[in-house]
Amino acid sequence: MAEAEDRESLLGSNRDRSSSTDSRRRHNPFMSFRNRERWSNYPPTMYPRTRTEAVKRAHGDEGSLTRDVENSRDNDENEITIDNEQSIPEKLLSARFESLDYDICENVLYQREEKQKTTKGIIRMEVARWFVSLVIGVLTGLVAAFIDVMVEKCSSLKYSYVKNYVDSCVDNHCLYVPFLMWIGFNAGICMVGAIITAYGEPVAAGSGIPQIKCYLNGIKIPHVVRFKTLVCKVVGVVCAVAGGLAVGKEGPMIHSGAVIAAGVSQGRSTSFNLDFKIFEYFRTDTEKRDFVSGGAAAGVAAAFGAPVGGVLFALEEGASFWNQGLTWRIFFASMTSTFTLNIVQSYVKGHAWDLSSPGLINFGKFDNTQYSGFEIPIFLIMGVIGGLLGALFNQINYKLTVYRMRFIQKKWKQVLEAMIVAAMTGLLGYISIYFNNDCEPMKGSGDGEPVQFFCQDGYYSSTASIFFQTPEASVKNLFHEDIGSYNIETLGFYTLGYFLLACWTYGLSVPSGLFIPSLLIGAAWGRMFGILLQFLLPHADWADPGKYALIGAAAQLGGIVRMTISLTVIVVEATGNVTFGLPIMIVLMVAKWVGDFFNEGIYDMHVHLQGVPILGWEPPDMSANISATEVMSHPVTVFRSVESVGRIMDLLKKETHNGYPVVDDYSPDRCIRRGLMYESFGTFEGMILRSQLIMLIKFKVFNENPDINSLQTTLKSVDFRDAYPRYPPIQLINVTPQEREMTIDLRPFMNPAPYTVTNSASLPRIFKLFRALGLRHVIVINNEHQVIGMVTRKDLARYKIWRHRGQISMEELLISHS
């Protein structure tokens, strides 16, 4: 009873409409709860629910859980709606996300196309792949250059106006004028970016890294790689950075590169209804995914001037599987992106072909900075601090994100929140400058124009120098300013204020990167750490504040995002000093370990809050004794080898699943009778996709069609790829009553050799198939080769392992379709 009450409070009160459901539950007949003992150490709310309760098929799901009979909805306990106000967001999986099809359909059409390939055609296709990689790199570099130029122009214009009024109002006692100007500039510019994002394309909000990570993992995120998203991303990030928000432009570049890659590789634009009739062979999920990997890597390379780091980022954070040829093409795209940006920036800065600015951010040179072996324990301590602060950052942002999901869903509220945060950012900066009169000699003013404020002639306000420039310039100043340029009070207040602002900002309805805010926070407390060492050890000439600012920046970034390999290489490439590879790697690893003790990385946290069924690198622990019959969906909707058009139309309109087994020895009249469920659904023959069925009906490939022989001869795989990725809905396909009585032979078009497992296969084995091969469906068959169930990504993703404060627990997530 206690378990039922806990479950009822989680799921809400929508079961009133089916009060008699409990007496008519339809369970998976193969589900065994012999594993209950395994869960006895966990609270009742963490017990695995019944199979039918835990696996609720909804819109967009690719499985084949049937509602094959009229009254199955009444009989199914799954017919519930998750109450967002009462549910725990990260304990739910959203059914609106579909999987990508990486498995090749080796049907008759595919085999015919492969036989017609020639050596010339294969070479042409490989050259096309390299050409597309080149274009991706060039366009990503140009977009990065455009963003950089626009941010610099807008920011310099804003700060020059405010600075002029500050200089004139110090003596005239009208400092409220530049204060209001600063607040107005920030709020106004951010309002433009928030409106474009909230009303134009909401998926453009944030850095886009979690979305691209999910896409490369095999999940189709709606609108994530559309041209409209790119436009909103570029314009929005310019407004967000120029508006003074605690964001960076580097993270959104990864998303921008991925969008560019997805568009270029298809040879057409579905947004503008343009088809250039090129790269038609690349119009599959497999090819598109590979190019998106290259675009993401090119974005990293353009952002940080780190082509190798870009390749490792695509490997570590995204792609499901890898090969040598793909690695070379991704590296080529990354190098091209860096080189293109470098050339454009050399012309913008008036030094043509001076290729010394490979990325949007330049950490500067650390050639004269050294470290000793006895400093490694100090770096370890800084790694611990970075992990603790990163865990705190992620926890605060998690609470804010949950609040936004519940109470800030209207678009005008999202725009208003962005304006409020922009105004508060300006307010914090102004208060910091006004009350912290940290005056330093003019020699250490940095690259930007110094702001004198209340300082006497020959001095400038070091606090103002941090706020009156772009975040990238502030990071560079914290790394390379002379000793004594900042005092502890300035750095301490800046660390605290910017930490809270960055927590509040990430998740707003504006494009926003998290790399630069993390680096700024870490550089500020890292430099403060170095100053404290100098104070405690006045004769220690090795205690360089700039060096510790770099280590603190890496520790803070690692504590928040929890990346190790790629982040180490990115920071090393950005600094241009490979000798710092060891300490950077140490602090990143320690920060990750410490942070993971409390919670997960912020990108993974936002992925789970959105309910995305992402699969990790390894199968869940404690899952080896879970068999396929406990994981699979059952019963299954199947089609016969020769199926009637009417039944296909009815089932496609009734269900939204994307894959169906094709069987023999099956009669649709066999249905689920009350109290009895048939265990199998015919002898397995192959797999047919929803998109294939729709195109077959659209082309009228009916056995009774007089032109059936010519249709089967002339129909090619390109005819199916031509509608990719937006296949027409079945509701728009018209058939006459006479055509409904006709039949379709599915055997030439189905995949005759999809991946299958037996009913005794374990969850880890099925998981490795999905993760390594990028599968969308796996058919479960019995010893007689008969279909008994189907496993999809959501069936695996719902088994979740939680690691918190050294404890490991496992639970089954519910699937929400709200």
Side-chain angles (χ1 to χ4, degrees):
M1 292 298 294
E3 178 184 351
E5 291 175 0
D6 290 337
R7 191 181 305 157
E8 198 70 33
S9 64
L10 175 67
L11 299 178
S13 59
N14 290 339
R15 295 193 192 174
D16 294 340
R17 56 183 175 176
S18 55
S19 58
S20 61
T21 297
D22 291 340
S23 62
R24 294 180 285 134
R25 289 178 178 174
R26 189 181 61 174
H27 298 282
N28 184 336
F30 301 99
M31 172 57 76
S32 169
F33 284 98
R34 54 184 170 76
N35 295 321
R36 281 287 189 184
E37 297 178 358
R38 173 164 58 97
W39 299 85
S40 59
N41 295 327
Y42 305 115
T45 54
M46 294 182 66
Y47 285 169
R49 278 71 175 175
T50 63
R51 181 69 183 92
T52 51
E53 178 181 352
V55 183
K56 168 66 177 75
R57 293 296 172 202
H59 298 294
D61 193 7
E62 64 272 22
S64 293
L65 186 66
T66 59
R67 280 137 186 101
D68 211 270
V69 290
E70 288 283 327
N71 60 352
S72 62
R73 291 184 178 272
D74 296 328
N75 295 339
D76 198 342
E77 183 190 19
N78 298 334
E79 198 62 27
I80 52 178
T81 303
I82 303 300
D83 187 346
N84 285 332
E85 294 295 318
Q86 300 179 17
S87 61
I88 304 173
E90 64 178 8
K91 293 184 181 296
L92 301 174
L93 288 180
S94 176
R96 65 189 178 94
F97 296 108
E98 300 181 14
S99 298
L100 298 172
D101 284 320
Y102 292 160
D103 189 22
I104 298 175
C105 181
E106 298 178 343
N107 55 18
V108 173
L109 301 185
Y110 172 80
Q111 295 172 4
R112 185 190 304 163
E113 184 179 57
E114 289 296 308
K115 290 179 180 179
Q116 294 175 351
K117 281 186 176 180
T118 62
T119 302
K120 186 177 181 180
I122 294 175
I123 295 175
R124 186 186 301 115
M125 190 180 303
E126 190 63 22
V127 171
R129 287 193 177 96
W130 283 93
F131 177 74
V132 171
S133 299
L134 172 66
V135 176
I136 290 170
V138 172
L139 292 181
T140 303
L142 292 176
V143 169
F146 174 80
I147 292 175
D148 187 55
V149 171
M150 293 302 297
V151 168
E152 290 291 337
K153 296 296 182 182
C154 295
S155 298
S156 62
L157 183 64
K158 180 185 74 172
Y159 289 127
S160 62
Y161 270 108
V162 176
K163 177 182 179 298
N164 291 335
Y165 274 91
V166 167
D167 292 340
S168 62
C169 285
V170 169
D171 298 328
N172 298 329
H173 305 289
C174 59
L175 285 175
Y176 64 90
V177 175
F179 167 70
L180 294 178
M181 287 184 61
W182 196 352
I183 297 296
F185 272 127
N186 282 4
I189 297 175
C190 288
M191 180 186 69
V192 175
I195 290 175
I196 291 174
T197 305
Y199 290 92
E201 193 57 82
V203 76
S207 65
I209 294 177
Q211 289 85 351
I212 297 303
K213 178 179 179 179
C214 293
Y215 186 91
L216 297 180
N217 189 263
I219 304 165
K220 187 181 300 181
I221 306 296
H223 301 179
V224 72
V225 289
R226 290 192 181 178
F227 179 78
K228 183 180 179 182
T229 304
L230 175 63
V231 174
C232 294
K233 198 80 176 183
V234 171
V235 178
V237 74
V238 171
C239 294
V241 178
L245 290 176
V247 300
K249 55 181 181 286
E250 286 70 23
M253 271 309 306
I254 300 172
H255 190 181
S256 300
V259 178
I260 292 171
V264 172
S265 64
Q266 301 304 290
R268 66 179 178 185
S269 172
T270 53
S271 300
F272 296 102
N273 198 24
L274 296 176
D275 193 344
F276 300 100
K277 301 297 181 181
I278 57 175
F279 311 139
E280 293 178 341
Y281 187 80
F282 300 150
R283 295 174 185 178
T284 64
D285 285 337
T286 307
E287 296 286 350
K288 189 175 181 180
R289 189 287 315 262
D290 289 347
F291 289 116
V292 169
S293 298
V300 175
F304 298 97
V308 178
V311 175
L312 292 176
F313 174 85
L315 172 61
E316 182 180 6
E317 285 299 308
S320 296
F321 48 96
W322 209 253
N323 59 70
Q324 186 179 21
L326 177 61
T327 305
W328 272 111
R329 291 196 301 273
I330 289 179
F331 184 61
F332 177 65
S334 300
M335 290 296 297
T336 304
S337 174
T338 302
F339 186 69
T340 302
L341 176 62
N342 213 339
I343 294 176
V344 175
Q345 285 189 326
S346 68
Y347 278 92
V348 171
K349 296 178 180 179
H351 306 286
W353 293 95
D354 178 16
L355 306 180
S356 58
S357 301
L360 294 180
I361 182 172
N362 184 6
F363 288 169
K365 298 298 182 182
F366 288 83
D367 295 335
N368 298 325
T369 305
Q370 300 177 348
Y371 71 94
S372 302
F374 63 83
E375 293 182 82
I376 292 181
I378 300 177
F379 299 152
L380 291 174
I381 296 174
M382 297 184 71
V384 173
I385 297 174
L388 292 174
L389 291 178
L392 178 62
F393 184 100
N394 292 358
Q395 189 63 25
I396 295 174
N397 186 262
Y398 166 79
K399 297 295 184 182
L400 286 172
T401 304
V402 172
Y403 180 85
R404 287 189 180 107
M405 293 172 65
R406 291 177 175 173
F407 303 109
I408 311 181
Q409 296 184 352
K410 295 185 182 298
K411 298 183 185 300
W412 67 268
K413 289 184 179 180
Q414 296 171 354
V415 175
L416 181 61
E417 185 193 15
M419 295 176 64
I420 292 174
V421 175
M424 292 299 297
T425 305
L427 176 63
L428 175 68
Y430 202 82
I431 291 176
S432 302
I433 299 171
Y434 190 87
F435 289 101
N436 185 24
N437 196 25
D438 181 13
C439 298
E440 302 294 339
M442 195 67 76
K443 181 179 179 181
S445 59
D447 296 333
E449 296 183 4
V451 181
Q452 186 174 353
F453 221 81
F454 291 123
C455 299
Q456 56 184 325
D457 293 341
Y459 288 78
Y460 75 102
S461 172
S462 63
T463 307
S465 69
I466 301 179
F467 287 99
F468 272 69
Q469 57 188 356
T470 60
E472 290 79 9
S474 297
V475 170
K476 189 174 180 179
N477 283 354
L478 289 171
F479 287 164
H480 297 286
E481 283 284 20
D482 297 335
I483 297 175
S485 298
Y486 304 99
N487 60 36
I488 291 183
E489 292 81 4
T490 300
L491 295 174
F493 188 84
Y494 182 79
T495 300
L496 176 62
Y498 210 80
F499 182 93
L500 296 176
L501 282 176
C503 284
W504 192 5
T505 303
Y506 190 75
L508 291 177
S509 185
V510 292
S512 56
L514 192 59
F515 281 88
I516 292 302
S518 302
L519 291 173
L520 263 176
I521 296 168
W525 68 257
R527 190 176 182 94
M528 184 169 57
F529 189 92
I531 294 174
L532 288 175
L533 282 179
Q534 284 185 328
F535 178 77
L536 297 175
L537 303 170
H539 300 292
D541 54 355
W542 48 267
D544 180 12
K547 173 175 59 180
Y548 289 102
L550 174 63
I551 299 300
Q556 185 65 53
L557 184 57
I560 292 176
V561 302
R562 313 284 167 82
M563 295 189 304
T564 52
I565 302 174
S566 59
L567 202 56
T568 301
V569 177
I570 288 172
V571 176
V572 169
E573 287 186 283
T575 57
N577 192 339
V578 73
T579 59
F580 272 90
L582 177 62
I584 291 172
M585 182 187 68
I586 290 174
V587 297
L588 286 174
M589 292 178 63
V590 172
K592 173 179 170 54
W593 290 339
V594 172
D596 285 343
F597 184 80
F598 298 98
N599 49 36
E600 56 188 352
I602 194 163
Y603 296 143
D604 294 329
M605 190 174 287
H606 278 258
V607 167
H608 294 144
L609 282 173
Q610 295 298 322
V612 181
I614 192 170
L615 299 180
W617 284 103
E618 298 294 335
D621 298 327
M622 303 157 48
S623 64
N625 57 345
I626 300 177
S627 64
T629 53
E630 297 175 80
V631 178
M632 69 184 188
S633 302
H634 181 97
V636 185
T637 299
V638 297
F639 290 114
R640 294 166 294 181
S641 302
V642 179
E643 188 60 83
S644 66
V645 176
R647 184 169 183 264
I648 295 176
M649 291 285 295
D650 293 340
L651 287 177
L652 291 184
K653 290 180 179 179
K654 182 180 179 181
E655 301 178 358
T656 58
H657 315 319
N658 288 281
Y660 302 89
V662 179
V663 299
D664 278 339
D665 304 326
Y666 174 76
S667 173
D669 297 330
R670 296 172 61 188
C671 62
I672 301 168
R673 300 197 301 267
R674 191 176 302 279
L676 178 64
M677 182 182 294
Y678 286 92
E679 295 184 355
S680 62
F681 299 86
T683 303
F684 179 65
E685 294 292 331
M687 165 77 73
I688 191 79
L689 299 179
R690 181 186 186 89
S691 58
Q692 294 174 312
L693 292 171
I694 291 176
M695 299 308 292
L696 289 175
I697 297 176
K698 180 180 178 181
F699 294 140
K700 309 293 184 183
V701 189
F702 307 147
N703 292 334
E704 293 77 8
N705 191 331
D707 300 326
I708 182 61
N709 292 330
S710 62
L711 277 173
Q712 290 182 341
T713 304
T714 58
L715 203 60
K716 300 180 180 179
S717 295
V718 67
D719 297 319
F720 290 84
R721 290 195 298 264
D722 189 60
Y724 175 86
R726 303 182 191 178
Y727 294 98
I730 189 63
Q731 289 78 8
L732 298 182
I733 307 297
N734 297 318
V735 294
T736 64
Q738 293 77 14
E739 289 175 334
R740 286 181 57 87
E741 302 300 324
M742 297 181 181
T743 59
I744 301 179
D745 188 353
L746 301 180
R747 286 170 293 190
F749 310 101
M750 70 181 186
N751 186 355
Y755 290 92
T756 61
V757 295
T758 62
N759 52 4
S760 60
S762 65
L763 188 150
R765 178 176 293 273
I766 302 172
F767 186 99
K768 291 175 182 177
L769 277 176
F770 270 84
R771 191 62 175 89
L773 301 177
L775 301 182
R776 186 171 188 173
H777 316 89
V778 166
I779 310 300
V780 182
I781 59 176
N782 59 18
N783 294 332
E784 298 176 355
H785 207 67
Q786 293 179 325
V787 176
I788 62 173
M790 177 177 284
V791 180
T792 65
R793 172 180 289 268
K794 294 185 183 70
D795 295 324
L796 299 176
R798 65 190 179 87
Y799 289 92
K800 176 68 175 179
I801 289 292
W802 297 103
R803 292 179 173 85
H804 184 65
R805 298 182 182 177
Q807 301 295 320
I808 300 177
S809 60
M810 180 178 177
E811 64 180 328
E812 285 191 65
L813 307 182
L814 297 175
I815 298 180
S816 165
H817 54 111
S818 57

